[in-house]
Amino acid sequence: MVRRVAVIGAGVGGLASIKCCLDEGLEPTCFERSEDIGGLWRYTDSMDGGRVSVYRSVITNTSKEMSCFSDFPCPEDFPSFLPHGLLLEYFRMYAQHFDLLRHIRFKMTAVSVRRRPDFATSGQWEVVTETNGIQESHVFDAVMVCTGHYQEPYLPLASFPGISTCFKGQYLHSQEYKDVEAFRGKRVLVVGIGNTGGDLSVELSRVAAKVFLSARRSTWVFSRVSDHGFPFDMVSTTRFNHFLDWLLPSALTRRIRFRKFNSWFNHANYGLASTKSSNFKVIINEELPFCLLSGTVVLKTNVKEFTESSAIFEDGTTEENIDVVLFATGYIFSFPFLEESVRSLFDDNRSLYKCIFPPQLEKPTLAIIGLVQLTGSVMVGTEMQARWVTGIFAGRNKLPPIRRMIADVLKKKPPIKRNPSERENLKMSFISYTDEIALCAGVKPNVLRLLLTDPRLALAIFFGPCTPYQYRLVGRGKWRGARNAILTQWQRTLKPLRTRVVDDSSSDFSSWCWMCLLALPVVLTAGFLLSKKTHPGWSLQVGLQL
């Protein structure tokens, strides 16, 4: 019987895990090595103990309605996309509201997590912590590791001949970047065109003499501001769009997606991507296209080698007088505090059952929370993981036999081992993954049933944004405010913009309702098709899940 649970880390995953433990009647103790909550999102000027934090100017890529905890909406006066300071403030509000801080032991580092000798029968763990040089041993019935996947910088110097032997300038990883001052007036080469590489290139272009951005492969760029000025993720991440992705051939959906990207600007003209690209990534950046158009950022191919003061690229071009090379090459995850025999059971998140449980353990009392990258907010996926895991610890949810879990892992594991910095190894569909875990936890919304009992809500769920409140409508942890939160999510999105109100009678919200009513047959058709796929033969059940 699990009772005492150790939670490692007080970031997003740690806070959600503490709260979910309390909801299930468990006794959580959280160990946080720093002096405050927030994890990655707590900005500091220094790099105390190698701790990873965001840089000073960072703003969230996912909107507040799509990223909040499922039973605690962000304040309506908060902007849709939050600077790190406001997001940390929201975390503090959440911790205070649910009285989580009293379960956190700050400045206590978990140095060892090992199975006890009787683990096969008890499932217990010995956790050794250290504070001020003094170690202390604890025994817990279960452990939730909430350190995320931004742990150790990935710095592939061996892939760039000359960088450590010939190059006389400075090179550093983006983990060390805090603000622009150290780069003023310099010629900077940014290596890597992920979200971080794009952001830093734009920011540095305002003060640097020149910024070069090196990209290894095709990259599609889109804006957080979508059609009609709404947050992109609220418009695109819907169950209706998810259904279309399932229904239409993948070649067609890719073509539609590429055309959408190119409707903003032609990516081929900028050297970013081609519609013929098979290996590509997608980043969020509103300003990068203008920086390329204005020449303040120059896009380059992959670096072939470095000399004393220049970079030679694979296309044969050379850029001279490079002062600084900034590697935005991502992170690798490691769990040095876990005993080697446990750590060796998984080399990435796809070696874990549902990206959470090492399936080979005799007892499912170790959960890795937040080691997943989704096409939407990882915060929502992390909270869903914590809800399911704590339900298992409490004995309310069950895992399949070890043999079936291992088979499921092998079936879903990618056949090719990718570069450690490439997040595709972690990235999964937001709705698919969150629904999968919600189904296991018994909290997945049933659109067809709602269509019979609450049509307005059903249409908002199917055609509107897949906000986290949907997972509080049914099952354990059901929240009475979930329905209202869903029906008022657009008002909260627009509220911070209403600082100067103008009359526009054409934007009548009722038109959206009429559109949903006209699309009612689509919902019924989707339910029928999915039921046929899920249950061969005839099976249009009231319990069908979309």
Side-chain angles (χ1 to χ4, degrees), residues 257-484:
R257 189 171 292 116
F258 287 171
R259 177 170 292 186
K260 177 67 175 176
F261 291 150
N262 273 335
S263 68
W264 183 24
F265 68 95
N266 189 311
H267 285 62
N269 288 344
Y270 286 66
L272 283 164
S274 164
T275 55
K276 298 179 181 179
S277 306
S278 58
N279 183 24
F280 62 90
K281 65 168 63 174
V282 179
I283 68 170
I284 301 171
N285 199 302
E286 296 80 22
E287 300 178 75
L288 182 59
F290 177 73
C291 288
L292 294 172
L293 198 62
S294 63
T296 55
V297 175
V298 177
L299 193 65
K300 304 294 293 186
T301 60
N302 193 39
V303 178
K304 181 181 179 181
E305 63 177 312
F306 287 93
T307 65
E308 287 190 359
S309 61
S310 63
I312 303 173
F313 298 89
E314 289 183 347
D315 62 357
T317 60
T318 301
E319 294 297 342
E320 305 283 352
N321 302 318
I322 300 297
D323 298 305
V324 183
V325 179
L326 181 59
F327 286 94
T329 46
Y331 293 81
I332 56 176
F333 60 85
S334 64
F335 305 97
F337 48 84
L338 284 179
E339 62 176 294
E340 176 58 30
S341 60
V342 174
R343 198 163 63 243
S344 63
L345 296 178
F346 56 99
D347 55 358
D348 57 39
N349 74 326
R350 297 297 179 90
S351 300
L352 300 169
Y353 181 65
K354 305 296 185 186
C355 302
I356 301 172
F357 289 101
Q360 301 91 338
L361 291 179
E362 301 95 324
K363 296 289 184 179
T365 54
L366 174 67
I368 311 298
I369 302 296
L371 192 62
V372 61
Q373 181 120 333
L374 305 175
T375 55
S377 171
V378 69
M379 301 180 198
V380 178
T382 294
E383 184 196 25
M384 184 56 65
Q385 289 179 331
R387 292 177 66 186
W388 180 46
V389 166
T390 53
I392 291 172
F393 289 168
R396 190 173 48 79
N397 298 324
K398 302 293 182 183
L399 287 176
I402 292 178
R403 175 175 48 83
R404 282 177 53 193
M405 288 194 290
I406 294 176
D408 183 79
V409 167
L410 294 176
K411 179 181 177 181
K412 296 179 179 179
K413 191 174 176 64
I416 301 175
K417 189 174 181 64
R418 294 179 170 89
N419 186 308
S421 70
E422 294 183 359
R423 313 313 294 178
E424 287 78 12
N425 201 35
L426 300 176
K427 186 165 288 187
M428 305 173 72
S429 163
F430 171 77
I431 293 181
S432 293
Y433 181 76
T434 312
D435 271 1
E436 181 180 359
I437 304 303
L439 182 61
C440 294
V443 298
K444 184 180 176 184
N446 187 316
V447 178
L448 284 185
R449 179 177 295 169
L450 284 172
L451 197 59
L452 299 175
T453 60
D454 194 339
R456 182 187 177 195
L457 180 61
L459 293 173
I461 288 175
F462 189 72
F463 291 102
C466 186
T467 45
Y469 322 120
Q470 294 188 10
Y471 300 103
R472 289 287 180 176
L473 290 169
V474 296
R476 180 79 169 181
K478 178 179 177 180
W479 176 44
R480 287 183 298 175
R483 181 182 187 275
N484 183 65

